[in-house]
Amino acid sequence: MKKHRALVVDDEPDIRELLSITLERMNIDVVTAGDVATATRELRNGAFDLCFTDMRLPDGDGLNLVEWIQTHKPHIPVAVITAHGNVETAVRALKLGAFDFISKPLDLAVLRKLIAATLKLGDSSESTIQLPQVKLLGKSARMEQLRELIERVARSQAPVHIYGESGTGKELVAHLIHDASARRDGPFVPVNCGAIPTELMESELFGHKKGAFTGAIADKQGLIQSAEGGTLFLDEIADLPLHMQVKLLRVIQEKSVRPVGESREIPTDIRLLSATHKNLAALVAEGKFREDLFYRVNVIEVRVPPLRERLEDIQELVDSIIARLGKQIGNADLSVTDNAVKTLSGYHFPGNVRELENVLERAATLCSNGMIDVGDLQLRPKVAAADVPIQSSVAPGEKLGEALEDIERDAIVRALEQTRYNKTKAAALLGMTFRSLRYRIKKLGIE
């Protein structure tokens, strides 16, 4: 079995010795350097599997060394050592390509986890990282660029923010990043921030101790701790209330979590991925999203293109969806006419890939003889986002309360249909909060 080799760069002898002892106990050979010049010389002349570097060195900045490694030895994962609380420097290092960071004073348990993850990454980089069997379909230039970006960001521990319209496949992208990373054997925990009631959010994310509040009859592990050793994916992160944004910021900065009712913080080892269809920068300007959290979660941004920007992928997507639908309904001969594909290729798809799936699923039910034609697609005309037609008249003798409920029900159903049942988007269309919409849906018996 190959013995790994590490380079430790720090001008403090005590830190070099602590790191050396920890690495050697993990059966890793260690070379040390006290400045940038010595470190660069060692990197030029030797082979290394990982590198730790301090930020402040006698003859330069650790960030300069990170840049040098990314240019000359990009296969070597590099982790930076920062002063306690100096997250800004850590974020700059991650943007430059550092694998991860650790703060002084060094926590040995956290350090060992970081070393193990770094070595795992190095081992997987000996051969080209392959994306898993679940694929991101499409051969367009935009999708090729997206796949290349996924492979690059998978090599880092840096937080990634995935931006894209509803229905573009943001969670799939998050899953691919996890599956191509050194954390692929750990859990992938997706959380829809807009679907958790505000009063339960802290307990759901952070967990709680028995007796912490009325109804807490036992200890409960939070979703953050459930992602230990793996990836936490916060979907619709823009829906996090401000008080929860503060708590999440602390998790990112301190790499620890405090369950409700717990007196101490518990170290946690997760990678954070987030996503939203909203413009976070605009929300920051409006005071609805914390600027400091924005810079922490948006270290690397991955944009998922809408379907209308890659219409050349329609044929491949249609073939894949039809093959799946054919198996589901037991019709291996299910197909789509050329005219139907041409019509789909000219459609604007406000609901993106999810809408294409819904259109084809409905058409498969309506079509004759297993052949989907233009008439079976029932595509909607292009409508402005605010145009949700509502029947507002009340028939003579009709009870006002019942009539208003019918009007409200009709408006909600139409908004849900227009947004392909994306409740967050439908709520925005109707000018109400997600939670209000969910309450009305339940009250009116819509689902």
Side-chain angles (χ1 to χ4, degrees), residues 91-107:
V91 170
R92 286 171 58 203
L94 291 171
K95 284 184 179 290
L96 289 172
F99 174 68
D100 205 349
F101 71 92
I102 186 167
S103 300
K104 296 178 182 178
L106 302 182
D107 183 312

mmCIF file of all heavy atoms in Angstrom, residues 91-107:
data_model
loop_
_atom_site.group_PDB
_atom_site.id
_atom_site.type_symbol
_atom_site.label_atom_id
_atom_site.label_comp_id
_atom_site.label_asym_id
_atom_site.label_seq_id
_atom_site.Cartn_x
_atom_site.Cartn_y
_atom_site.Cartn_z
ATOM 1 N N VAL A 91 -12.283 32.194 3.385
ATOM 2 C CA VAL A 91 -13.131 32.265 2.187
ATOM 3 C C VAL A 91 -12.298 32.633 0.963
ATOM 4 O O VAL A 91 -12.467 32.058 -0.116
ATOM 5 C CB VAL A 91 -14.275 33.283 2.393
ATOM 6 C CG1 VAL A 91 -15.002 33.555 1.079
ATOM 7 C CG2 VAL A 91 -15.268 32.761 3.430
ATOM 8 N N ARG A 92 -11.372 33.577 1.133
ATOM 9 C CA ARG A 92 -10.479 33.939 0.006
ATOM 10 C C ARG A 92 -9.656 32.738 -0.444
ATOM 11 O O ARG A 92 -9.472 32.500 -1.648
ATOM 12 C CB ARG A 92 -9.554 35.084 0.428
ATOM 13 C CG ARG A 92 -10.246 36.444 0.523
ATOM 14 C CD ARG A 92 -9.330 37.481 1.157
ATOM 15 N NE ARG A 92 -8.095 37.638 0.421
ATOM 16 C CZ ARG A 92 -6.954 38.107 0.938
ATOM 17 N NH1 ARG A 92 -6.916 38.443 2.222
ATOM 18 N NH2 ARG A 92 -5.890 38.240 0.197
ATOM 19 N N ALA A 93 -9.181 31.956 0.519
ATOM 20 C CA ALA A 93 -8.376 30.777 0.185
ATOM 21 C C ALA A 93 -9.213 29.743 -0.566
ATOM 22 O O ALA A 93 -8.757 29.138 -1.542
ATOM 23 C CB ALA A 93 -7.794 30.169 1.462
ATOM 24 N N LEU A 94 -10.453 29.547 -0.122
ATOM 25 C CA LEU A 94 -11.330 28.589 -0.794
ATOM 26 C C LEU A 94 -11.631 29.034 -2.222
ATOM 27 O O LEU A 94 -11.689 28.213 -3.142
ATOM 28 C CB LEU A 94 -12.631 28.443 -0.007
ATOM 29 C CG LEU A 94 -12.517 27.750 1.366
ATOM 30 C CD1 LEU A 94 -13.824 27.869 2.130
ATOM 31 C CD2 LEU A 94 -12.110 26.301 1.224
ATOM 32 N N LYS A 95 -11.829 30.339 -2.414
ATOM 33 C CA LYS A 95 -12.074 30.860 -3.766
ATOM 34 C C LYS A 95 -10.875 30.632 -4.683
ATOM 35 O O LYS A 95 -11.025 30.443 -5.892
ATOM 36 C CB LYS A 95 -12.415 32.349 -3.705
ATOM 37 C CG LYS A 95 -13.833 32.653 -3.222
ATOM 38 C CD LYS A 95 -14.117 34.138 -3.279
ATOM 39 C CE LYS A 95 -15.543 34.452 -2.834
ATOM 40 N NZ LYS A 95 -16.551 33.996 -3.810
ATOM 41 N N LEU A 96 -9.680 30.653 -4.097
ATOM 42 C CA LEU A 96 -8.463 30.439 -4.878
ATOM 43 C C LEU A 96 -8.202 28.966 -5.168
ATOM 44 O O LEU A 96 -7.313 28.631 -5.944
ATOM 45 C CB LEU A 96 -7.250 31.037 -4.145
ATOM 46 C CG LEU A 96 -7.185 32.565 -4.106
ATOM 47 C CD1 LEU A 96 -6.044 33.024 -3.195
ATOM 48 C CD2 LEU A 96 -6.996 33.136 -5.509
ATOM 49 N N GLY A 97 -8.954 28.083 -4.513
ATOM 50 C CA GLY A 97 -8.815 26.653 -4.805
ATOM 51 C C GLY A 97 -8.386 25.790 -3.643
ATOM 52 O O GLY A 97 -8.148 24.591 -3.826
ATOM 53 N N ALA A 98 -8.269 26.358 -2.430
ATOM 54 C CA ALA A 98 -7.923 25.538 -1.269
ATOM 55 C C ALA A 98 -9.022 24.510 -1.029
ATOM 56 O O ALA A 98 -10.199 24.774 -1.259
ATOM 57 C CB ALA A 98 -7.743 26.415 -0.030
ATOM 58 N N PHE A 99 -8.608 23.340 -0.548
ATOM 59 C CA PHE A 99 -9.558 22.259 -0.300
ATOM 60 C C PHE A 99 -10.442 22.557 0.903
ATOM 61 O O PHE A 99 -11.642 22.366 0.880
ATOM 62 C CB PHE A 99 -8.778 20.962 -0.083
ATOM 63 C CG PHE A 99 -9.625 19.796 0.333
ATOM 64 C CD1 PHE A 99 -10.545 19.231 -0.535
ATOM 65 C CD2 PHE A 99 -9.499 19.236 1.603
ATOM 66 C CE1 PHE A 99 -11.322 18.154 -0.156
ATOM 67 C CE2 PHE A 99 -10.273 18.159 1.989
ATOM 68 C CZ PHE A 99 -11.183 17.610 1.106
ATOM 69 N N ASP A 100 -9.829 23.074 1.983
ATOM 70 C CA ASP A 100 -10.577 23.369 3.202
ATOM 71 C C ASP A 100 -9.703 24.248 4.095
ATOM 72 O O ASP A 100 -8.576 24.598 3.735
ATOM 73 C CB ASP A 100 -10.945 22.078 3.937
ATOM 74 C CG ASP A 100 -12.177 22.238 4.830
ATOM 75 O OD1 ASP A 100 -12.614 23.395 5.042
ATOM 76 O OD2 ASP A 100 -12.693 21.233 5.329
ATOM 77 N N PHE A 101 -10.227 24.613 5.259
ATOM 78 C CA PHE A 101 -9.450 25.405 6.204
ATOM 79 C C PHE A 101 -9.666 24.872 7.608
ATOM 80 O O PHE A 101 -10.657 24.196 7.898
ATOM 81 C CB PHE A 101 -9.862 26.881 6.138
ATOM 82 C CG PHE A 101 -11.222 27.171 6.697
ATOM 83 C CD1 PHE A 101 -11.396 27.544 8.030
ATOM 84 C CD2 PHE A 101 -12.362 27.071 5.899
ATOM 85 C CE1 PHE A 101 -12.659 27.808 8.550
ATOM 86 C CE2 PHE A 101 -13.632 27.331 6.407
ATOM 87 C CZ PHE A 101 -13.772 27.701 7.733
ATOM 88 N N ILE A 102 -8.711 25.167 8.494
ATOM 89 C CA ILE A 102 -8.831 24.807 9.901
ATOM 90 C C ILE A 102 -8.308 25.985 10.713
ATOM 91 O O ILE A 102 -7.319 26.631 10.329
ATOM 92 C CB ILE A 102 -8.066 23.508 10.222
ATOM 93 C CG1 ILE A 102 -8.332 23.067 11.662
ATOM 94 C CG2 ILE A 102 -6.583 23.653 9.946
ATOM 95 C CD1 ILE A 102 -7.867 21.655 11.961
ATOM 96 N N SER A 103 -8.991 26.295 11.812
ATOM 97 C CA SER A 103 -8.637 27.469 12.612
ATOM 98 C C SER A 103 -7.777 27.099 13.811
ATOM 99 O O SER A 103 -7.876 25.998 14.356
ATOM 100 C CB SER A 103 -9.920 28.173 13.105
ATOM 101 O OG SER A 103 -10.709 28.587 12.022
ATOM 102 N N LYS A 104 -6.932 28.049 14.201
ATOM 103 C CA LYS A 104 -6.161 27.898 15.442
ATOM 104 C C LYS A 104 -7.038 28.335 16.617
ATOM 105 O O LYS A 104 -7.840 29.260 16.471
ATOM 106 C CB LYS A 104 -4.902 28.773 15.394
ATOM 107 C CG LYS A 104 -3.909 28.400 14.315
ATOM 108 C CD LYS A 104 -2.733 29.365 14.341
ATOM 109 C CE LYS A 104 -1.734 29.056 13.245
ATOM 110 N NZ LYS A 104 -0.610 30.008 13.224
ATOM 111 N N PRO A 105 -6.896 27.723 17.795
ATOM 112 C CA PRO A 105 -6.043 26.566 18.097
ATOM 113 C C PRO A 105 -6.573 25.307 17.407
ATOM 114 O O PRO A 105 -7.791 25.117 17.307
ATOM 115 C CB PRO A 105 -6.129 26.452 19.621
ATOM 116 C CG PRO A 105 -7.438 27.074 19.965
ATOM 117 C CD PRO A 105 -7.649 28.185 18.987
ATOM 118 N N LEU A 106 -5.664 24.459 16.958
ATOM 119 C CA LEU A 106 -6.051 23.293 16.179
ATOM 120 C C LEU A 106 -6.788 22.269 17.038
ATOM 121 O O LEU A 106 -6.321 21.898 18.113
ATOM 122 C CB LEU A 106 -4.811 22.647 15.547
ATOM 123 C CG LEU A 106 -3.975 23.548 14.628
ATOM 124 C CD1 LEU A 106 -2.823 22.752 14.039
ATOM 125 C CD2 LEU A 106 -4.831 24.136 13.525
ATOM 126 N N ASP A 107 -7.935 21.832 16.548
ATOM 127 C CA ASP A 107 -8.700 20.765 17.197
ATOM 128 C C ASP A 107 -8.279 19.456 16.533
ATOM 129 O O ASP A 107 -8.500 19.255 15.343
ATOM 130 C CB ASP A 107 -10.201 21.021 16.997
ATOM 131 C CG ASP A 107 -11.075 20.002 17.713
ATOM 132 O OD1 ASP A 107 -10.805 18.797 17.568
ATOM 133 O OD2 ASP A 107 -12.019 20.415 18.402
#
